[in-house]
């Protein structure tokens, strides 16, 4: 008994040291987190964060477009989110005459606010546990398919019996690998109008170079407004709609942040996998990440070389380069972070402690799960090599789309319609395609693919083509890019504007489709199908292992992995030391923007007006000690989907806007470590400064509620001291 008590105590010590870890469901804070949060400095209650009976912080948080988070910052429905979250909407409103991406956009009145068809903002009304109802009739003997079929029927029964308003929706999602289910009643507003955005030279300052990096100096924000019907309920766009009167909006603190200040981030994080076994973590950082990084590294080097020499190619490939580099850089940081913090060793020690407390059956679950990941590893790595090859060699991707179109069940009968849809899509893609660039990317990636992927996972068809071209990427690519119909849209259009029988017969002889089909057939037979065979048992064992962890480790508070539902995370404003002799502070200022300034550079140019404000030190009430704060970091546990999430102080006031993580901390999706995992936020004072002093849109600031909570705290402390 003493042995088990000691082990349990060690678990408690281990997890209290990582107190800032976790993405918590807000309706469970009272029992799980409130005491700790107050001990860390929070001044409000859990009921102030989540309540169904009164306005609370949750009523100011929205899922913005389903891909980001936004928050309400005025009584008139003014919504704040990231610039990169609003980027697509800003782009759609831009033209040569009104380039809002380059010059920014600021509405002077409600009449100038711009509608955005298809954009929406979703509030959470209430959250309920429906685990018992969802799992009714589920047995351990069921296959994964049978289990899911029963659950789906149960969820439909729950939805049909739920009492809600006609304008409300319901979402039910699994948590803890399907061991629990929660229901979310939501309200979605579809009239969202663009109010303001800084130019990209501010909103994307640092662009690809600074992405995932600290120190950061990006003013990553944009403003929208939610409109409702005259009854304040959700309504389709109408000129007669009125600004939303929210249940709650966030007051804004002008007091800034200091070391060790308590912070919260409230939002809709997308996806994490914190409870995987050690072999899964190894597979990620020692197998899959290196494979994907190696392929993208080669592709990016080729594209970068062309972009530096040719302005037209730079324009064509800028977005693709940024998209490719974003995940590439994240995976590198993930590998380095796990390595530098001993993440795999920590996971192994965790599992050893679990085994000491677990029953033989529970230990067997973990061992079997690790064995499955180990056995599936070669297939998982080969899958990533294949997917990166098809993704980054555009001609193969184009050919893949063509074959998919021709193999549809009714392709012959519906050929004219399918062909037209395909060609319309391809015409748009070819505008940003260069045959020479893609040929060099193919040369590099084919060499890597056929070197790193075992021949028994490539298949005979593709390997035959590889041998025909002397097992050389350049020879293979030269043949393909000189003879294929996919080298230009004109050739492609001529090829497909023929009878179906002719096209479907001759497409197999095109060198691009011939290689693609060889690769795809080999991939399906030797990689995808065998790998898919592992997945049902992986899902079953991961669910059992998740439940076993919760059963065995009674002293640990478990939070569910992110799944795009409303969560709150909390931590403190702290710097960090990523490696030997390097120490990062908590905040940056406008001084750093000017230090990075490169006239005319697409990443580091600075608008003239911002330079003038800096030279004159004209910061208004938003500066601090002669400086203009720009960004800060804290130990809040965030991920994709948290973009645009509010950073809140101990009183629930808005102090910043979450937009990124530090490079070394990108591993937080699979291996959070409070020593180096930091989220990056725009200081709200920089946002206000840019709206007021830079944009001249003080009317927007005037509708916000600005507060000074630290002044109030100081006054109280002085009175107590005097007494």
């Amino acid at each position: 008994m003493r042995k088990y008590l000691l082990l349990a105590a060690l678990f408690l010590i281990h997890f209290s040291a990582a107190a800032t870890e976790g993405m918590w469901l807000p309706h469970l804070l009272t029992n799980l987190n409130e005491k700790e949060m107050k001990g860390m400095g929070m001044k409000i209650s859990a009921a102030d964060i989540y309540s169904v009976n009164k306005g609370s912080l949750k009523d100011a948080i929205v899922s913005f477009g389903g891909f980001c988070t936004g928050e309400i910052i005025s009584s008139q429905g003014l919504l704040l989110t990231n610039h990169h979250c609003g980027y697509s909407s800003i782009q759609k409103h831009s033209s040569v005459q009104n380039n809002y991406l380059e010059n920014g956009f600021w509405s002077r009145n409600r009449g100038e606010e711009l509608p955005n068809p298809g954009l929406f903002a979703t509030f959470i009304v209430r959250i309920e546990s429906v685990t018992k109802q969802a799992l009714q009739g589920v047995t351990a003997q069921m296959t994964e398919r049978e289990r899911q079929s029963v659950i789906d029927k149960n969820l439909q029964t729950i939805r049909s019996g739920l009492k809600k308003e006609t304008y409300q929706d319901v979402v039910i999602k699994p948590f803890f690998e399907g061991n629990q289910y929660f229901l979310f009643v939501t309200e979605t507003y579809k009239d969202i109008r663009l109010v303001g955005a800084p130019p990209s030279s501010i909103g994307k300052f640092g662009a690809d170079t600074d992405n995932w990096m600290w120190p950061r100096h990006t003013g990553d924000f944009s403003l929208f407004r939610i409109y409702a019907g005259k009854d304040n309920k959700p309504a389709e766009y109408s000129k007669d709609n009125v600004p939303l009167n929210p249940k709650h909006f966030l007051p804004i603190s002008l007091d800034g942040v200091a070391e060790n200040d308590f912070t919260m981030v409230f939002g809709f994080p997308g996806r994490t996998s914190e409870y995987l076994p050690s072999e899964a973590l190894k597979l990620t950082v020692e197998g899959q990440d290196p494979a994907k990084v190696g392929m993208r590294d080669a592709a990016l080097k080729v594209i970068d070389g062309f972009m530096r020499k040719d302005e037209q190619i730079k324009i064509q490939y800028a977005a693709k380069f940024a998209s490719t580099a974003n995940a590439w850089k994240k995976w590198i940081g993930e590998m380095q972070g796990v390595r530098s913090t001993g993440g795999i060793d920590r996971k192994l020690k965790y599992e050893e402690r679990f085994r000491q407390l677990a029953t033989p059956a529970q230990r067997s679950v973990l061992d079997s799960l690790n064995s499955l990941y180990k056995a599936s590893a070669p297939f998982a790595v080969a899958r990533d090599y294949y997917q990166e090859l098809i993704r980054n060699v555009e001609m193969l991707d184009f050919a893949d789309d063509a074959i998919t179109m021709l193999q549809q069940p009714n392709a012959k009968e519906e050929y004219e319609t399918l062909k037209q849809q395909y060609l319309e899509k391809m015409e748009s893609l070819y505008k940003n395609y260069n045959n020479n660039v893609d040929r060099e990317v193919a040369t590099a990636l084919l060499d890597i693919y056929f070197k790193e992927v075992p021949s028994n996972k490539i298949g005979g068809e593709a390997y035959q083509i590889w041998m025909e071209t002397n097992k050389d990427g350049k020879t293979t690519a030269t043949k393909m890019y000189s003879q294929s119909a996919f080298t230009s849209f004109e050739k492609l259009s001529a090829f497909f504007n023929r009878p179906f029988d002719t096209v479907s017969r001759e497409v197999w002889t095109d060198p691009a489709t011939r290689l693609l089909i060889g690769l795809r057939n080999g991939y399906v037979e030797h990689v995808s199908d065998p790998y898919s065979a592992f997945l049902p048992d992986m899902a079953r064992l991961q669910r059992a292992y998740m439940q076993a962890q919760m059963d065995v480790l009674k002293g640990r508070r478990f939070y569910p992995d992110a799944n795009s539902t409303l969560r709150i995370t909390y931590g403190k404003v702290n710097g960090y030391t990523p490696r030997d002799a390097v120490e990062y502070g908590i905040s940056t200022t406008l001084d750093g923007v000017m230090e990075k300034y490169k006239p005319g550079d697409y990443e580091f140019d600075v608008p003239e007006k911002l330079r003038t404000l800096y030279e004159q030190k004209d910061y208004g009430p938003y500066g601090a000690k002669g400086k203009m704060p720009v960004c800060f970091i804290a130990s809040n546990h965030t991920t994709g989907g948290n973009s645009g999430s509010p950073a809140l102080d101990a009183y629930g006031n808005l102090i910043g806007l979450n937009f990124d993580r530090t490079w070394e901390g990108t591993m937080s999706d699979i291996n959070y470590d409070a020593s180096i995992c930091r989220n990056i936020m725009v200081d709200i004072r920089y946002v206000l400064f840019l709206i007021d002093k830079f944009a001249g849109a003080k009317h927007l600031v005037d509708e916000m509620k600005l507060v000074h909570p630290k002044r109030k705290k100081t006054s109280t402390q002085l009175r107590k001291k005097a007494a």
Side-chain angles (χ1 to χ4, degrees):
M1 177 61 72
R2 290 185 63 190
K3 171 188 172 184
Y4 289 113
L5 289 174
L6 177 60
L7 287 169
L10 288 173
F11 267 112
L12 286 173
I13 292 170
H14 172 74
F15 291 117
S16 64
T20 55
E21 179 180 0
M23 299 174 176
W24 303 93
L25 285 161
H27 71 299
L28 301 178
L29 292 177
T30 301
N31 293 328
L32 292 177
N33 310 93
E34 184 175 33
K35 183 177 179 180
E36 179 181 73
M37 294 169 79
K38 287 192 172 183
M40 292 174 66
M42 186 175 75
K43 304 301 181 185
I44 58 177
S45 70
D48 294 321
I49 296 172
Y50 175 91
S51 175
V52 295
N53 299 316
K54 64 175 184 176
S56 57
L57 290 180
K58 79 163 175 65
D59 299 309
I61 315 301
V62 300
S63 173
F64 183 79
F67 50 83
C68 279
T69 301
E71 55 272 2
I72 311 303
I73 58 172
S74 85
S75 62
Q76 299 165 60
L78 192 62
L79 183 151
L80 179 66
T81 190
N82 285 154
H83 183 271
H84 73 261
C85 295
Y87 193 87
S88 176
S89 296
I90 303 165
Q91 184 180 47
K92 288 175 183 176
H93 290 297
S94 296
S95 64
V96 175
Q97 295 75 23
N98 294 299
N99 192 336
Y100 298 138
L101 284 176
E102 182 176 339
N103 303 320
F105 169 78
W106 304 98
S107 60
R108 292 168 293 182
N109 53 59
R110 302 282 165 78
E112 292 185 352
E113 295 175 359
L114 303 175
N116 300 277
L119 186 60
F120 60 86
T122 299
F123 291 87
I124 302 299
V125 178
R126 67 179 188 272
I127 309 173
E128 300 174 9
S129 173
V130 291
T131 301
K132 185 176 180 180
Q133 303 95 303
L135 298 181
Q136 185 175 357
V138 171
T139 66
Q141 291 72 39
M142 289 179 171
T143 65
E144 287 299 291
R145 180 173 293 183
E146 290 169 341
R147 182 181 192 273
Q148 193 58 54
S149 177
V150 170
I151 291 173
D152 289 342
K153 291 177 182 176
N154 291 340
L155 298 186
Q156 184 56 42
T157 300
I158 294 170
R159 290 189 186 94
S160 60
L162 183 72
K163 292 183 179 180
K164 62 179 181 62
E165 302 295 339
T166 56
Y167 53 84
Q168 295 176 333
D169 295 310
V170 60
V171 175
I172 306 174
K173 288 199 174 186
F175 291 76
F176 297 113
E177 309 295 346
N179 285 297
Q180 296 179 23
Y181 282 79
F182 287 93
L183 174 153
F184 299 79
V185 176
T186 65
E187 290 181 5
T188 297
Y189 289 78
K190 299 179 180 179
D191 187 352
I192 314 298
R193 305 184 194 180
L194 177 63
V195 174
S200 292
S201 54
I202 291 174
K204 287 189 67 177
F205 183 80
D208 301 321
T209 299
D210 276 3
N211 188 28
W212 302 111
M213 303 303 289
W214 183 257
R216 198 66 173 274
H217 301 87
T218 312
D220 195 346
F221 78 96
S222 57
L223 291 166
F224 291 78
R225 194 183 303 278
I226 300 176
Y227 279 76
K230 292 183 178 179
D231 57 359
N232 207 44
K233 301 295 189 296
E236 296 292 338
Y237 170 80
S238 169
K239 62 181 180 61
D240 296 324
N241 284 347
V242 297
L244 174 72
N245 179 18
K247 294 178 183 176
H248 183 76
F249 66 90
L250 301 178
I252 297 174
S253 171
L254 290 178
D255 289 346
V257 298
E259 188 85 27
N260 289 319
D261 274 0
F262 176 78
T263 58
M264 299 179 283
V265 171
F266 214 167
F268 292 83
R271 184 67 56 187
T272 59
S273 300
E274 302 290 349
Y275 301 106
L276 293 173
S278 56
E279 287 297 335
L281 185 60
K282 286 181 186 178
L283 172 58
T284 299
V285 299
E286 295 180 356
Q288 293 175 287
D289 281 354
K292 293 182 288 190
V293 166
M295 293 289 271
R296 292 201 181 192
D297 190 50
L300 288 166
K301 284 179 180 176
V302 170
I303 297 170
D304 181 63
F306 277 95
M307 288 174 68
R308 290 181 182 276
K309 296 175 184 176
D310 190 307
E311 189 66 24
Q312 177 62 27
I313 292 175
K314 180 179 177 181
I315 294 171
Q316 288 178 310
Y317 279 79
K320 286 183 280 193
F321 187 93
S323 175
T324 302
N326 183 55
W328 165 80
K329 200 169 185 178
K330 189 256 188 184
W331 293 325
I332 294 172
E334 187 171 76
M335 290 187 292
Q336 293 180 348
V338 171
R339 189 183 307 120
S340 67
T341 60
I344 293 175
D345 285 341
R346 286 197 305 133
K347 183 74 77 171
L348 288 169
K349 290 176 182 177
Y350 172 91
E351 290 178 354
E352 182 56 34
R353 292 193 293 269
F354 169 83
R355 285 191 179 92
Q356 292 175 9
L357 291 170
T359 66
Q362 290 167 331
R363 290 195 293 270
S364 177
V365 166
L366 173 57
D367 293 339
S368 297
L369 186 57
N370 269 322
S371 295
L372 272 181
Y373 271 105
K374 199 168 186 177
S376 69
F379 301 98
V381 173
R383 180 192 60 173
D384 284 340
Y385 272 116
Y386 174 82
Q387 291 177 346
E388 287 298 313
L389 178 68
I390 304 304
R391 179 198 184 279
N392 289 287
V393 179
E394 292 183 272
M395 184 175 286
L396 291 177
D397 193 30
F398 296 165
D400 195 37
D401 282 350
I403 295 300
T404 299
M405 181 259 292
L406 292 171
Q407 289 181 337
Q408 290 194 34
N410 298 320
K412 184 172 184 177
E413 294 79 5
E414 301 175 10
Y415 180 62
E416 287 302 316
T417 300
L418 292 172
K419 176 192 71 175
Q420 187 64 29
Q421 292 172 346
Y422 174 71
L423 290 178
E424 286 177 1
K425 174 185 174 182
M426 298 310 297
E427 185 174 20
S428 174
L429 293 176
Y430 272 100
K431 291 177 181 178
N432 291 318
Y433 172 82
N434 182 285
N435 205 53
N436 293 328
V437 175
D438 201 47
R439 183 184 65 235
E440 294 305 313
V441 170
T443 298
L445 267 55
L446 286 168
D447 279 332
I448 296 174
Y449 183 78
F450 281 94
K451 176 184 177 183
E452 297 297 336
V453 179
S455 58
N456 64 0
K457 289 183 174 56
I458 293 176
E461 293 176 66
Y463 215 82
Q464 175 63 35
I465 296 171
W466 185 241
M467 289 191 294
E468 289 173 6
T469 51
N470 301 318
K471 298 183 179 181
D472 177 66
K474 185 173 183 179
T475 304
T476 307
T478 298
K479 179 179 179 180
M480 187 163 67
Y481 286 82
S482 62
Q483 300 177 18
S484 175
F486 290 87
T487 54
S488 70
F489 178 71
E490 290 72 26
K491 288 184 179 180
L492 187 71
S493 182
F495 183 87
F496 280 96
N497 277 317
R498 297 183 297 168
F500 175 82
D501 289 340
T502 303
V503 171
S504 61
R505 181 179 63 253
E506 295 186 8
V507 73
W508 308 108
T509 63
D510 185 281
T513 51
R514 181 173 176 237
L515 177 59
L516 182 279
I517 281 296
L519 288 166
R520 190 162 82 170
N521 287 345
Y523 167 72
V524 170
E525 181 180 357
H526 302 296
V527 178
S528 180
D529 284 351
Y531 181 71
S532 296
F534 287 99
L535 299 182
D537 283 340
M538 279 183 176
R540 175 180 57 81
L541 288 170
Q542 184 67 48
R543 183 171 61 252
Y545 177 49
M546 184 73 253
Q547 187 62 55
Q549 291 177 75
M550 293 190 289
D551 290 341
V552 169
L553 311 177
K554 300 290 188 181
R556 178 178 179 178
R557 296 166 303 151
F558 286 87
Y559 62 92
D561 273 318
N563 60 357
S564 298
T565 56
L566 185 64
R567 307 293 182 87
I568 191 162
T569 176
Y570 52 94
K572 289 198 172 186
V573 176
N574 289 133
Y576 70 109
T577 301
R579 52 193 173 276
D580 186 42
V582 176
E583 186 172 348
Y584 286 133
I586 63 170
S587 59
T588 60
T589 69
L590 197 55
D591 291 358
V593 174
M594 298 308 161
E595 289 168 3
K596 293 179 176 179
Y597 169 45
K598 294 179 184 178
D601 185 88
Y602 82 99
E603 293 185 306
F604 295 105
D605 202 1
V606 177
E608 180 181 359
K609 186 168 183 180
L610 185 57
R611 300 198 308 270
T612 299
L613 290 167
Y614 173 74
E615 290 164 1
Q616 297 174 353
K617 299 295 182 282
D618 185 7
Y619 304 144
Y622 316 111
K625 299 180 180 179
K627 303 283 187 179
M628 185 62 246
V630 173
C631 294
F632 67 95
I633 55 174
S635 58
N636 301 294
H637 190 176
T638 61
T639 188
N642 275 125
S643 290
S645 291
L648 306 168
D649 67 7
Y651 301 90
N653 301 311
L654 186 64
I655 53 174
L657 185 63
N658 185 84
F659 71 96
D660 206 355
R661 287 174 285 168
T662 57
W663 195 30
E664 302 83 3
T666 54
M667 66 169 185
S668 62
D669 289 349
I670 55 173
N671 183 57
Y672 180 89
D673 188 312
S675 67
I676 63 171
C677 290
R678 297 290 181 272
N679 63 309
I680 305 175
M681 294 152 281
V682 189
D683 194 304
I684 196 63
R685 293 171 294 177
Y686 189 49
V687 173
L688 297 176
F689 160 74
L690 290 168
I691 296 171
D692 182 353
K693 306 298 290 186
F694 175 81
K698 190 173 184 299
H699 61 283
L700 296 174
V701 178
D702 289 341
E703 68 175 272
M704 306 173 197
K705 181 181 179 181
L706 308 183
V707 297
H708 288 279
K710 289 187 176 181
R711 290 184 186 178
K712 180 180 179 181
K713 177 181 177 182
T714 302
S715 299
T716 302
Q717 289 173 337
L718 288 173
R719 287 196 300 272
K720 288 182 177 179
K721 186 175 181 180

